[in-house]
Amino acid sequence: MGGWKRWGTRRHAAASGRPEPAEGAGGRATGIEYPVWRLVMAAVAAAVAYFFLAVGVQLAGHELRALGAAYGWSGEAGRVTVTHEEVRHSRSTTRICFGTFESDGGAVREGVQVQSSRGCEPGRVADVRWVPGEDTWLTTTTADRVYEDAGFGSGAGTSLLLLVFMGLFCFGLGGLFAVGAVAVGGGLAWEVLLRAVRRQSK
């Protein structure tokens, strides 16, 4: 019955020369054209997709470099002199080892985190690979780190978990919103193109 009523309203409006009212999803006049809402939805979906994909790229890239440094594939080569260990209390007690890194090129960086499974004895010197920290609007500050090995307790396992699970989470959500943005925006663009072709053919 609702479809017949709307059809009758259109016939009456056409016969009287008055323009038809804009209809919402439920057939009621809204004052806002339906394509505008679709355009807004596509823009919001595109923005959310960009955010999650950008976070995924940055997070995966940083943790991949850290994982590669633990296995000797990436990072700047040099030596670290262990200086001290700090105990930090948050949800759990964490022990963080610090040291002074000297690259093969002579650059010296102090206060870097030492990722190693061989202890944190002050004064110990080890061959390591350095990975710089990152501080952007997408992630919190990540401290400079050096990796001595990929053994248990070296931090390589944490990098692998972040790379796999957080990467899949960010890329998964980003991909879903990207598909939605393309579907809604592409459908709207196709309808506009068809209307333009029909107008030219009349």
Side-chain angles (χ1 to χ4, degrees):
M1 291 296 293
W4 286 105
K5 289 181 179 179
R6 288 196 295 273
W7 181 74
T9 302
R10 293 192 184 98
R11 286 194 59 192
H12 180 72
S16 60
R18 294 195 303 271
E20 297 181 17
E23 294 185 355
R28 296 184 298 272
T30 61
I32 301 178
E33 293 292 340
Y34 179 56
V36 175
W37 285 111
R38 293 173 64 184
L39 185 61
V40 171
M41 290 172 58
V44 171
V48 175
Y50 169 78
F51 174 79
F52 279 107
L53 291 176
V55 170
V57 168
Q58 182 176 353
L59 178 64
H62 185 272
E63 297 305 326
L64 185 61
R65 289 191 295 271
L67 188 63
Y71 284 95
W73 304 332
S74 63
E76 185 176 354
R79 289 156 302 284
V80 68
T81 302
V82 178
T83 57
H84 66 286
E85 185 180 49
E86 292 184 5
V87 179
R88 297 180 180 178
H89 301 279
S90 54
R91 294 183 178 178
S92 61
T93 301
T94 305
R95 294 182 178 273
I96 303 177
C97 187
F98 290 91
T100 300
F101 171 75
E102 182 179 357
S103 69
D104 290 344
V108 177
R109 299 176 177 86
E110 298 181 353
V112 298
Q113 293 186 10
V114 180
Q115 304 290 338
S116 174
S117 63
R118 305 180 187 181
C120 192
E121 180 183 355
R124 186 172 65 88
V125 180
D127 292 330
V128 294
R129 286 184 173 270
W130 173 72
V131 177
E134 295 182 355
D135 185 15
T136 70
W137 66 276
L138 291 176
T139 59
T140 57
T141 301
T142 303
D144 292 348
R145 292 178 284 180
V146 294
Y147 287 82
E148 182 180 3
D149 54 39
F152 180 77
S154 65
T158 302
S159 294
L160 181 60
L161 289 176
L162 286 173
L163 179 63
V164 174
F165 291 104
M166 292 302 295
L168 289 177
F169 175 77
C170 292
F171 284 119
L173 279 181
L176 287 176
F177 278 99
V179 170
V182 171
V184 176
L188 182 58
W190 179 251
E191 290 182 7
V192 172
L193 179 62
L194 289 180
R195 290 181 182 179
V197 172
R198 290 170 182 171
R199 289 176 182 176
Q200 290 181 356
S201 62
K202 289 182 180 180

